[in-house]
Amino acid sequence: EDPSFESIAADPHSTHNMLRFIIVLALAASTYAHQGDATCFNDPNREVCKDAEDFYPKFAVTDSLGMLCTAMPHMPGCAVKSCCDDASCTDVAAKYCEPWSLIKNICGTQSGEMMTGMMGCSNFNKLCGKDVATMVSQCTDAATVPIASLPTTMKSLNNAATVCGASPPASSTWCTANPCTTSDAPNCAAPFTTLSEACKADSTKSECSASGWTAMCTTDGGNLQKFCGSGFTTKVEVGTSSAARLSSASLLAAAVTAFAVIVNV
């Protein structure tokens, strides 16, 4: 004879198993419900698509960033990401370490690198690309803006090479330690960092304004002291934010831990 509900409820082991079963069913139902949201990549201009966390969560955006920066690590957006991934690098504001802000630096078409043809930008393009009608809030969210006037890779390469040319800034050793050429990006591992270090040493160099570095630092240098130094606006939002600065590995570990806590109630 099958046990009654009362006997199951009276047995702590049965109750524990029932709770586990209910939680698993709830998680499965949630997963199923969000499967439909995947259609937002085909048509993001719908109410159900307003929050990308349902179908393109932050850890997935971080995975896309990893793909982009593995392919082209010398991009300025990847230099910013590298600081965000480094717990000891606290001189970039937490808002600029949000995954959506970071991916806009590389894939954005209004500002940023505009690397729309790269595979890592594919999902971003479908949701927030040029001429895409979209209701995805993360595309225009003021809390995840990209870095205004962030120099492109080519501007960083060209200007890093010339600013470190015949007469590099006297107070900077970065040019000799990290030489750049205009024609071979792999031989210039960190053009944006090289440019920034040179301009921090002597911001009057013409390459600083030509690259966009001066405009970037004038706009929000206080929140980008890693790349702008301390000669611009006062610190406003600089500091670590564990939610914003988690790497993809940390996000995955956090998700696994959270799931383990739930199912072991």
Side-chain angles (χ1 to χ4, degrees):
E1 182 178 332
D2 292 335
S4 66
F5 177 81
E6 290 80 5
S7 65
I8 292 174
D11 182 349
H13 295 293
S14 296
T15 303
H16 180 78
N17 289 335
M18 182 185 294
L19 284 171
R20 286 166 62 96
F21 181 66
I22 290 171
I23 290 169
V24 170
L25 281 179
L27 288 170
S30 175
T31 300
Y32 179 79
H34 288 313
Q35 282 180 345
D37 297 338
T39 61
C40 290
F41 289 110
N42 299 321
D43 180 12
N45 198 31
R46 293 175 295 139
E47 190 73 21
V48 71
C49 305
K50 286 186 72 173
D51 187 1
E53 194 64 24
D54 290 339
F55 51 91
Y56 190 36
K58 287 183 179 180
F59 72 83
V61 179
T62 300
D63 286 344
S64 296
L65 284 162
M67 187 187 305
L68 289 162
C69 292
T70 297
M72 293 182 67
H74 49 276
M75 290 190 291
C78 295
V80 178
K81 178 182 179 296
S82 180
C83 175
C84 293
D85 289 343
D86 182 355
S88 67
C89 182
T90 60
D91 289 335
V92 169
K95 67 178 181 179
Y96 290 136
C97 289
E98 286 287 340
W100 276 90
S101 173
L102 290 167
I103 202 165
K104 288 174 186 177
N105 288 333
I106 299 172
C107 303
T109 55
Q110 302 302 317
S111 61
E113 196 78 40
M114 295 184 276
M115 289 291 190
T116 55
M118 295 186 71
M119 186 177 297
C121 290
S122 176
N123 285 336
F124 179 87
N125 294 338
K126 293 173 183 176
L127 302 175
C128 309
K130 185 178 181 181
D131 300 326
V132 172
T134 184
M135 292 184 69
V136 177
S137 62
Q138 284 86 347
C139 295
T140 55
D141 188 355
T144 60
V145 294
I147 296 173
S149 300
L150 179 69
T152 64
T153 299
M154 288 311 301
K155 284 188 175 181
S156 297
L157 279 168
N158 292 336
N159 287 284
T162 55
V163 78
C164 290
S167 56
S171 60
S172 175
T173 59
W174 194 267
C175 288
T176 52
N178 299 271
C180 286
T181 65
T182 59
S183 58
D184 193 355
N187 287 335
C188 185
F192 176 59
T193 304
T194 297
L195 171 70
S196 296
E197 291 297 323
C199 290
K200 281 161 63 176
D202 184 357
S203 61
T204 65
K205 290 285 188 179
S206 62
E207 291 85 357
C208 303
S209 57
S211 63
W213 180 89
T214 302
M216 175 189 74
C217 295
T218 300
T219 300
D220 203 12
N223 285 318
L224 293 164
Q225 293 196 17
K226 162 71 175 176
F227 304 105
C228 297
S230 58
F232 290 88
T233 55
T234 306
K235 279 189 178 184
V236 178
E237 300 177 48
V238 171
T240 57
S241 167
S242 58
R245 302 174 73 93
L246 284 175
S247 65
S248 56
S250 299
L251 284 167
L252 178 60
V256 170
T257 301
F259 181 79
V261 169
I262 290 173
V263 298
N264 284 292
V265 171

Short mmCIF file of all heavy atoms in Angstrom, two decimals, residues 65 69 73-86 89 91-98 101-103 105-106 146-147 150-151 192-193 196 216 223-224 226-227 245:
data_model
loop_
_atom_site.label_atom_id
_atom_site.label_comp_id
_atom_site.label_asym_id
_atom_site.label_seq_id
_atom_site.Cartn_x
_atom_site.Cartn_y
_atom_site.Cartn_z
N LEU A 65 32.91 38.11 -23.51
CA LEU A 65 34.09 38.97 -23.35
C LEU A 65 35.37 38.14 -23.35
O LEU A 65 36.38 38.54 -23.93
CB LEU A 65 33.98 39.75 -22.04
CG LEU A 65 33.02 40.93 -22.05
CD1 LEU A 65 32.66 41.35 -20.62
CD2 LEU A 65 33.61 42.11 -22.80
N CYS A 69 38.46 38.73 -25.90
CA CYS A 69 39.78 39.13 -25.42
C CYS A 69 40.82 38.02 -25.58
O CYS A 69 42.02 38.29 -25.52
CB CYS A 69 39.67 39.60 -23.97
SG CYS A 69 38.75 41.15 -23.81
N PRO A 73 43.55 40.28 -27.51
CA PRO A 73 43.83 40.79 -26.16
C PRO A 73 44.36 42.21 -26.11
O PRO A 73 44.36 42.84 -25.06
CB PRO A 73 44.88 39.79 -25.62
CG PRO A 73 45.52 39.21 -26.85
CD PRO A 73 44.43 39.15 -27.87
N HIS A 74 44.83 42.72 -27.27
CA HIS A 74 45.40 44.07 -27.28
C HIS A 74 44.35 45.17 -27.42
O HIS A 74 44.70 46.34 -27.45
CB HIS A 74 46.41 44.19 -28.42
CG HIS A 74 45.89 43.71 -29.74
ND1 HIS A 74 45.90 42.38 -30.11
CD2 HIS A 74 45.32 44.37 -30.77
CE1 HIS A 74 45.37 42.24 -31.31
NE2 HIS A 74 45.00 43.43 -31.73
N MET A 75 43.05 44.80 -27.51
CA MET A 75 42.01 45.83 -27.60
C MET A 75 41.94 46.62 -26.29
O MET A 75 42.06 46.04 -25.21
CB MET A 75 40.65 45.19 -27.91
CG MET A 75 40.52 44.62 -29.30
SD MET A 75 38.82 44.14 -29.72
CE MET A 75 38.57 42.72 -28.66
N PRO A 76 41.72 47.94 -26.36
CA PRO A 76 41.59 48.75 -25.14
C PRO A 76 40.51 48.23 -24.20
O PRO A 76 40.69 48.25 -22.97
CB PRO A 76 41.24 50.14 -25.69
CG PRO A 76 41.94 50.18 -27.01
CD PRO A 76 41.78 48.80 -27.58
N GLY A 77 39.40 47.76 -24.76
CA GLY A 77 38.34 47.21 -23.92
C GLY A 77 38.82 46.03 -23.10
O GLY A 77 38.34 45.79 -21.97
N CYS A 78 39.77 45.28 -23.64
CA CYS A 78 40.33 44.13 -22.92
C CYS A 78 41.31 44.58 -21.84
O CYS A 78 41.47 43.90 -20.81
CB CYS A 78 40.99 43.17 -23.90
SG CYS A 78 39.81 42.43 -25.06
N ALA A 79 41.98 45.71 -22.06
CA ALA A 79 42.84 46.27 -21.02
C ALA A 79 42.00 46.69 -19.81
O ALA A 79 42.40 46.48 -18.66
CB ALA A 79 43.62 47.47 -21.56
N VAL A 80 40.83 47.25 -20.08
CA VAL A 80 39.92 47.63 -18.99
C VAL A 80 39.43 46.37 -18.28
O VAL A 80 39.42 46.29 -17.05
CB VAL A 80 38.74 48.45 -19.53
CG1 VAL A 80 37.77 48.80 -18.39
CG2 VAL A 80 39.23 49.72 -20.21
N LYS A 81 39.03 45.37 -19.06
CA LYS A 81 38.56 44.11 -18.47
C LYS A 81 39.64 43.46 -17.61
O LYS A 81 39.34 42.90 -16.55
CB LYS A 81 38.13 43.14 -19.57
CG LYS A 81 37.66 41.77 -19.07
CD LYS A 81 37.31 40.85 -20.19
CE LYS A 81 36.86 39.49 -19.66
NZ LYS A 81 37.92 38.77 -18.93
N SER A 82 40.89 43.54 -18.07
CA SER A 82 41.99 42.94 -17.32
C SER A 82 42.11 43.57 -15.94
O SER A 82 42.34 42.87 -14.94
CB SER A 82 43.30 43.12 -18.10
OG SER A 82 44.38 42.56 -17.40
N CYS A 83 41.95 44.88 -15.86
CA CYS A 83 41.96 45.55 -14.56
C CYS A 83 40.78 45.10 -13.72
O CYS A 83 40.92 44.81 -12.53
CB CYS A 83 41.95 47.06 -14.75
SG CYS A 83 41.82 47.98 -13.18
N CYS A 84 39.61 44.99 -14.34
CA CYS A 84 38.41 44.59 -13.61
C CYS A 84 38.53 43.17 -13.07
O CYS A 84 37.96 42.85 -12.01
CB CYS A 84 37.18 44.69 -14.52
SG CYS A 84 36.76 46.38 -14.99
N ASP A 85 39.25 42.32 -13.77
CA ASP A 85 39.43 40.93 -13.32
C ASP A 85 40.49 40.80 -12.23
O ASP A 85 40.61 39.75 -11.61
CB ASP A 85 39.85 40.06 -14.51
CG ASP A 85 38.71 39.84 -15.50
OD1 ASP A 85 37.55 40.09 -15.13
OD2 ASP A 85 39.00 39.41 -16.64
N ASP A 86 41.24 41.86 -12.01
CA ASP A 86 42.33 41.86 -11.03
C ASP A 86 41.86 42.53 -9.75
O ASP A 86 41.63 43.74 -9.72
CB ASP A 86 43.55 42.59 -11.62
CG ASP A 86 44.75 42.59 -10.69
OD1 ASP A 86 44.63 42.10 -9.55
OD2 ASP A 86 45.81 43.09 -11.11
N CYS A 89 43.49 45.73 -8.66
CA CYS A 89 43.36 46.92 -9.51
C CYS A 89 42.06 47.62 -9.16
O CYS A 89 40.99 47.23 -9.62
CB CYS A 89 43.38 46.52 -10.99
SG CYS A 89 43.28 47.93 -12.13
N ASP A 91 41.55 51.04 -9.45
CA ASP A 91 41.52 52.39 -9.99
C ASP A 91 40.66 52.55 -11.24
O ASP A 91 40.84 53.46 -12.03
CB ASP A 91 42.95 52.86 -10.30
CG ASP A 91 43.73 53.13 -9.01
OD1 ASP A 91 43.09 53.42 -7.99
OD2 ASP A 91 44.97 53.04 -9.03
N VAL A 92 39.72 51.63 -11.41
CA VAL A 92 38.68 51.77 -12.43
C VAL A 92 37.34 51.62 -11.71
O VAL A 92 37.16 50.68 -10.92
CB VAL A 92 38.81 50.70 -13.54
CG1 VAL A 92 37.58 50.69 -14.44
CG2 VAL A 92 40.05 50.96 -14.38
N ALA A 93 36.43 52.53 -11.95
CA ALA A 93 35.15 52.52 -11.26
C ALA A 93 34.39 51.22 -11.49
O ALA A 93 34.43 50.63 -12.56
CB ALA A 93 34.29 53.70 -11.71
N ALA A 94 33.69 50.77 -10.45
CA ALA A 94 32.92 49.53 -10.53
C ALA A 94 31.91 49.56 -11.68
O ALA A 94 31.65 48.54 -12.30
CB ALA A 94 32.21 49.28 -9.20
N LYS A 95 31.37 50.75 -11.96
CA LYS A 95 30.37 50.82 -13.05
C LYS A 95 30.98 50.43 -14.38
O LYS A 95 30.29 49.90 -15.26
CB LYS A 95 29.78 52.23 -13.14
CG LYS A 95 30.76 53.32 -13.60
CD LYS A 95 30.07 54.67 -13.71
CE LYS A 95 31.02 55.76 -14.19
NZ LYS A 95 30.33 57.07 -14.31
N TYR A 96 32.27 50.67 -14.57
CA TYR A 96 32.93 50.31 -15.82
C TYR A 96 33.38 48.86 -15.84
O TYR A 96 33.92 48.39 -16.84
CB TYR A 96 34.12 51.24 -16.08
CG TYR A 96 33.72 52.66 -16.42
CD1 TYR A 96 34.38 53.75 -15.86
CD2 TYR A 96 32.68 52.91 -17.32
CE1 TYR A 96 34.01 55.05 -16.17
CE2 TYR A 96 32.30 54.22 -17.63
CZ TYR A 96 32.97 55.28 -17.06
OH TYR A 96 32.61 56.56 -17.37
N CYS A 97 33.17 48.16 -14.72
CA CYS A 97 33.50 46.74 -14.66
C CYS A 97 32.27 45.86 -14.80
O CYS A 97 32.36 44.64 -14.74
CB CYS A 97 34.22 46.43 -13.36
SG CYS A 97 35.91 47.09 -13.29
N GLU A 98 31.10 46.48 -14.96
CA GLU A 98 29.89 45.71 -15.24
C GLU A 98 30.05 45.01 -16.60
O GLU A 98 30.50 45.65 -17.57
CB GLU A 98 28.67 46.62 -15.27
CG GLU A 98 28.20 47.09 -13.92
CD GLU A 98 27.53 45.99 -13.11
OE1 GLU A 98 27.10 44.98 -13.72
OE2 GLU A 98 27.46 46.12 -11.88
N SER A 101 28.79 46.96 -19.57
CA SER A 101 29.62 48.11 -19.91
C SER A 101 30.85 47.66 -20.67
O SER A 101 31.23 48.26 -21.69
CB SER A 101 30.03 48.86 -18.63
OG SER A 101 30.96 49.89 -18.91
N LEU A 102 31.47 46.59 -20.20
CA LEU A 102 32.69 46.08 -20.84
C LEU A 102 32.44 45.63 -22.27
O LEU A 102 33.24 45.91 -23.17
CB LEU A 102 33.26 44.93 -20.02
CG LEU A 102 33.86 45.30 -18.66
CD1 LEU A 102 34.10 44.06 -17.81
CD2 LEU A 102 35.16 46.08 -18.84
N ILE A 103 31.32 44.96 -22.50
CA ILE A 103 31.07 44.47 -23.86
C ILE A 103 30.71 45.61 -24.80
O ILE A 103 30.99 45.57 -26.00
CB ILE A 103 30.01 43.34 -23.87
CG1 ILE A 103 30.18 42.50 -25.15
CG2 ILE A 103 28.59 43.90 -23.76
CD1 ILE A 103 29.46 41.18 -25.12
N ASN A 105 32.13 48.47 -24.73
CA ASN A 105 33.41 49.06 -25.14
C ASN A 105 33.94 48.42 -26.41
O ASN A 105 34.66 49.06 -27.20
CB ASN A 105 34.46 48.87 -24.04
CG ASN A 105 34.21 49.75 -22.83
OD1 ASN A 105 33.60 50.81 -22.92
ND2 ASN A 105 34.68 49.30 -21.67
N ILE A 106 33.62 47.15 -26.62
CA ILE A 106 34.15 46.41 -27.76
C ILE A 106 33.14 46.29 -28.90
O ILE A 106 33.47 46.49 -30.07
CB ILE A 106 34.61 45.00 -27.31
CG1 ILE A 106 35.71 45.12 -26.26
CG2 ILE A 106 35.09 44.18 -28.51
CD1 ILE A 106 36.09 43.80 -25.61
N PRO A 146 29.23 52.47 -21.68
CA PRO A 146 30.63 52.23 -22.01
C PRO A 146 31.48 53.44 -21.64
O PRO A 146 30.94 54.49 -21.25
CB PRO A 146 30.59 52.03 -23.53
CG PRO A 146 29.43 52.86 -23.97
CD PRO A 146 28.41 52.76 -22.87
N ILE A 147 32.78 53.32 -21.76
CA ILE A 147 33.68 54.44 -21.47
C ILE A 147 33.65 55.41 -22.65
O ILE A 147 33.98 55.04 -23.77
CB ILE A 147 35.11 53.94 -21.23
CG1 ILE A 147 35.15 53.05 -19.98
CG2 ILE A 147 36.08 55.11 -21.08
CD1 ILE A 147 36.48 52.38 -19.75
N LEU A 150 36.71 56.15 -25.37
CA LEU A 150 37.76 55.14 -25.22
C LEU A 150 38.46 54.97 -26.57
O LEU A 150 37.83 54.69 -27.57
CB LEU A 150 37.16 53.80 -24.79
CG LEU A 150 38.13 52.63 -24.62
CD1 LEU A 150 39.03 52.87 -23.41
CD2 LEU A 150 37.36 51.32 -24.46
N PRO A 151 39.78 55.16 -26.63
CA PRO A 151 40.48 55.03 -27.91
C PRO A 151 40.30 53.65 -28.53
O PRO A 151 40.22 52.65 -27.81
CB PRO A 151 41.95 55.27 -27.54
CG PRO A 151 41.88 56.12 -26.30
CD PRO A 151 40.69 55.61 -25.55
N PHE A 192 46.97 50.34 -25.59
CA PHE A 192 46.21 51.33 -24.83
C PHE A 192 46.91 51.66 -23.51
O PHE A 192 46.98 52.82 -23.10
CB PHE A 192 44.79 50.82 -24.57
CG PHE A 192 43.96 51.72 -23.71
CD1 PHE A 192 43.71 53.04 -24.07
CD2 PHE A 192 43.42 51.26 -22.52
CE1 PHE A 192 42.94 53.88 -23.28
CE2 PHE A 192 42.64 52.08 -21.72
CZ PHE A 192 42.41 53.40 -22.09
N THR A 193 47.45 50.64 -22.86
CA THR A 193 48.16 50.87 -21.60
C THR A 193 49.45 51.64 -21.85
O THR A 193 49.81 52.56 -21.09
CB THR A 193 48.47 49.54 -20.90
OG1 THR A 193 47.24 48.82 -20.71
CG2 THR A 193 49.11 49.77 -19.55
N SER A 196 48.46 55.18 -22.53
CA SER A 196 48.00 55.82 -21.29
C SER A 196 49.16 56.18 -20.37
O SER A 196 49.20 57.27 -19.80
CB SER A 196 47.02 54.91 -20.56
OG SER A 196 45.83 54.71 -21.32
N MET A 216 38.70 61.21 -23.25
CA MET A 216 38.25 60.19 -22.30
C MET A 216 38.53 60.62 -20.86
O MET A 216 37.65 60.55 -20.00
CB MET A 216 38.96 58.87 -22.59
CG MET A 216 38.65 57.76 -21.60
SD MET A 216 39.70 56.29 -21.82
CE MET A 216 41.27 56.90 -21.14
N ASN A 223 37.26 58.45 -12.55
CA ASN A 223 36.80 57.07 -12.43
C ASN A 223 37.65 56.11 -13.27
O ASN A 223 37.31 54.92 -13.38
CB ASN A 223 35.34 56.96 -12.84
CG ASN A 223 34.42 57.50 -11.76
OD1 ASN A 223 34.63 57.27 -10.58
ND2 ASN A 223 33.41 58.25 -12.17
N LEU A 224 38.72 56.63 -13.86
CA LEU A 224 39.60 55.82 -14.71
C LEU A 224 41.06 56.10 -14.38
O LEU A 224 41.90 56.24 -15.26
CB LEU A 224 39.31 56.12 -16.19
CG LEU A 224 37.95 55.71 -16.72
CD1 LEU A 224 37.65 56.40 -18.05
CD2 LEU A 224 37.87 54.19 -16.87
N LYS A 226 43.42 54.38 -13.32
CA LYS A 226 44.38 53.39 -13.81
C LYS A 226 44.98 53.84 -15.14
O LYS A 226 46.17 53.65 -15.41
CB LYS A 226 43.67 52.04 -13.99
CG LYS A 226 44.38 51.02 -14.87
CD LYS A 226 45.62 50.46 -14.21
CE LYS A 226 46.24 49.35 -15.06
NZ LYS A 226 47.50 48.84 -14.50
N PHE A 227 44.16 54.46 -15.98
CA PHE A 227 44.59 54.87 -17.31
C PHE A 227 44.77 56.38 -17.46
O PHE A 227 45.41 56.82 -18.42
CB PHE A 227 43.58 54.36 -18.36
CG PHE A 227 43.38 52.88 -18.30
CD1 PHE A 227 42.23 52.34 -17.75
CD2 PHE A 227 44.35 52.01 -18.77
CE1 PHE A 227 42.05 50.96 -17.67
CE2 PHE A 227 44.18 50.64 -18.71
CZ PHE A 227 43.03 50.10 -18.16
N ARG A 245 32.79 42.89 -10.39
CA ARG A 245 34.14 42.52 -10.76
C ARG A 245 34.40 41.02 -10.74
O ARG A 245 35.52 40.57 -10.83
CB ARG A 245 35.14 43.23 -9.84
CG ARG A 245 35.01 44.74 -9.88
CD ARG A 245 35.90 45.39 -8.86
NE ARG A 245 37.30 45.34 -9.24
CZ ARG A 245 37.92 46.31 -9.91
NH1 ARG A 245 37.27 47.38 -10.28
NH2 ARG A 245 39.19 46.20 -10.22
#
